[in-house]
Amino acid sequence: MKKLLILTIFCATCSTVLAQIEKRSSLSIGGGYALNVALNPESLDDDGELLGREDLWDNGTFQAINFRNTFKHKKGNHFLKLKLNVGNAWYQTENDADRHHYDIAFTYRTKYASRKYFEFSPELNRRRRDGVNLSDAVLQMPFSYTLINLPLRFDFYMRNKVWLKTSVGYLSKDFDRAAGQLIYRAPYAGALVSKKWKNTERTTKLSASTETQFRFYQDIRAIAIDDDDEEEPLEEEEFDERSRQWTYMRNNLTYQLNFERNKLALEAGLFQILRLDRDGRNGFNELGAGVKASIPVDKWRLSGYMRYSMRNYSNLAPGADNNTLLEYRYIRTGFNVGYRLKKWFDIYLGGSLVDRTSNNPTITSAAFREYTNGQVEAGVTVRF
């Protein structure tokens, strides 16, 4: 009788909790075409043979599937959220380009005093894809990695629609290097100040933010060995180990404008990314600007963005007999079109493009060169 009573109480408690949880799920199935997934340049001198796009670029069609789950629960001043996302993309002609990922994010937020809030929102992101990004040869980062983010946030409402939001946290990123190891650990801190103005016609918001990461890299690479020894296990002395300390600073200034009548949302901003290298070789300063827009039209939802930036390295001049410091110019753009057929069923079309130009004159290597990368995808989304 006692066990039955305990079981009854437990089931009743679970039913009560589950009834208070808001759950949203969606399944997206689509396909598309990807351009230059390995980020290779347009040309390469391979021992006197000039290779072009048809030799260097990995292009192909793919099928993709993504499953998203969100659970929310609010009680009093406490708020909980759990997000689970899983996705895969399979390429028909380039099997090495297959992508797999999953993301887990948990949020706990509470109001602990008048106009004061605390939030803890750890995240785990996993990406799996063969290959190494050779477009920047300093780290030679594999495309596969595991990222853990542990942030603590303290937000303060300053009255008159002014917010001060602060954060401290810790990042851990492990790349899947086949021989050796590439990881970084990074404590960080940031702050954001925003001011909102609202009337019956539109809402305007101006915000400024800054974040600094102190990244400590451990870069262990296998040293090339003779062909006669390639079947032998690598010894400790056959690895090259380097430690790097890079400080990343990102500053943003953003202006947002939302219209009440047609729900048009506009955003424009300026940003700076500054990397300081303790060794004084691989630092850079990147300045850029961007715009975003979105609008619902009946059952349609249209959105797009564009960003342009200039990255100048402070002491890196790649290539032999080259005294010109490295410079990149980036154009990043994308769009998304969605149409709601049913309350639970959408169709979508989206695409993105990244174009990087470089002043590197060396064509005998893919490192520090220009590249163009993009994709377009169409499919359906079912919500339940």
Side-chain angles (χ1 to χ4, degrees), residues 104-363:
I104 303 173
F106 172 79
T107 299
Y108 169 71
R109 184 176 178 85
T110 184
K111 181 179 180 181
Y112 65 91
S114 176
R115 305 193 308 276
K116 299 177 181 179
Y117 301 81
F118 166 77
E119 182 177 309
F120 177 53
S121 48
E123 295 183 46
L124 170 65
N125 308 115
R126 172 64 179 162
R127 299 292 182 271
R128 180 72 183 90
R129 203 189 94 188
D130 292 339
V132 177
N133 183 359
L134 298 178
S135 64
D136 290 291
V138 177
L139 292 176
Q140 297 185 6
M141 295 180 294
F143 290 115
S144 299
Y145 64 83
T146 301
L147 175 65
I148 298 174
N149 185 14
L150 302 173
L152 297 174
R153 296 186 172 93
F154 298 89
D155 300 342
F156 307 92
Y157 181 60
M158 314 299 290
R159 292 193 176 95
N160 297 321
K161 296 184 174 59
V162 176
W163 281 88
L164 169 63
K165 300 183 177 183
T166 64
S167 63
V168 294
Y170 184 79
L171 283 170
S172 173
K173 193 170 188 178
D174 290 58
F175 294 88
D176 295 359
R177 178 170 283 175
Q181 187 181 52
L182 177 61
I183 63 175
Y184 76 72
R185 308 290 185 252
Y188 64 87
L192 178 146
V193 178
S194 65
K195 166 66 176 176
K196 184 184 292 186
W197 297 267
K198 187 173 183 179
N199 57 39
T200 57
E201 296 183 356
R202 59 186 175 272
T203 300
T204 304
K205 184 178 180 181
L206 182 65
S207 60
S209 65
T210 183
E211 182 179 278
T212 301
Q213 296 182 12
F214 304 92
R215 295 189 183 180
F216 299 87
Y217 286 85
Q218 186 175 24
D219 185 359
I220 303 175
R221 307 183 192 185
I223 300 174
I225 56 177
D226 295 334
D227 293 339
D228 295 339
D229 299 329
E230 65 180 1
E231 300 298 329
E232 300 295 327
L234 295 176
E235 302 294 338
E236 183 177 354
E237 61 269 18
E238 294 171 319
F239 285 88
D240 177 37
E241 181 173 354
R242 302 179 184 179
S243 296
R244 308 176 189 273
Q245 294 185 20
W246 291 349
T247 300
Y248 276 83
M249 301 178 64
R250 184 179 182 103
N251 303 307
N252 297 276
L253 181 63
T254 305
Y255 177 80
Q256 296 171 286
L257 183 60
N258 297 333
F259 293 90
E260 296 296 330
R261 183 172 59 85
N262 55 12
K263 304 303 179 183
L264 172 64
L266 302 174
E267 180 178 313
L270 304 173
F271 66 89
Q272 177 193 35
I273 303 174
L274 185 65
R275 185 170 80 186
L276 305 177
D277 182 3
R278 186 190 64 172
D279 298 328
R281 175 168 172 77
N282 297 300
F284 65 75
N285 184 25
E286 182 172 350
L287 299 173
V291 293
K292 294 171 59 177
S294 66
I295 184 172
V297 180
D298 195 16
K299 294 183 178 182
W300 294 88
R301 180 75 181 184
L302 313 175
S303 63
Y305 69 89
M306 178 175 286
R307 293 193 299 270
Y308 176 79
S309 64
M310 304 173 292
R311 179 182 295 184
N312 299 323
Y313 282 79
S314 57
N315 198 28
L316 179 59
D321 302 322
N322 178 29
N323 296 320
T324 303
L325 295 178
L326 181 63
E327 296 179 359
Y328 292 145
R329 300 293 182 264
Y330 288 95
I331 295 177
R332 299 176 174 92
T333 185
F335 74 95
N336 189 271
V337 178
Y339 182 76
R340 176 159 293 186
L341 289 170
K342 300 288 185 179
K343 186 177 180 180
W344 51 272
F345 187 76
D346 292 352
I347 59 175
Y348 67 86
L349 171 67
S352 62
L353 180 71
V354 178
D355 182 74
R356 183 176 85 176
T357 60
S358 170
N359 68 340
N360 180 14
T362 305
I363 64 171

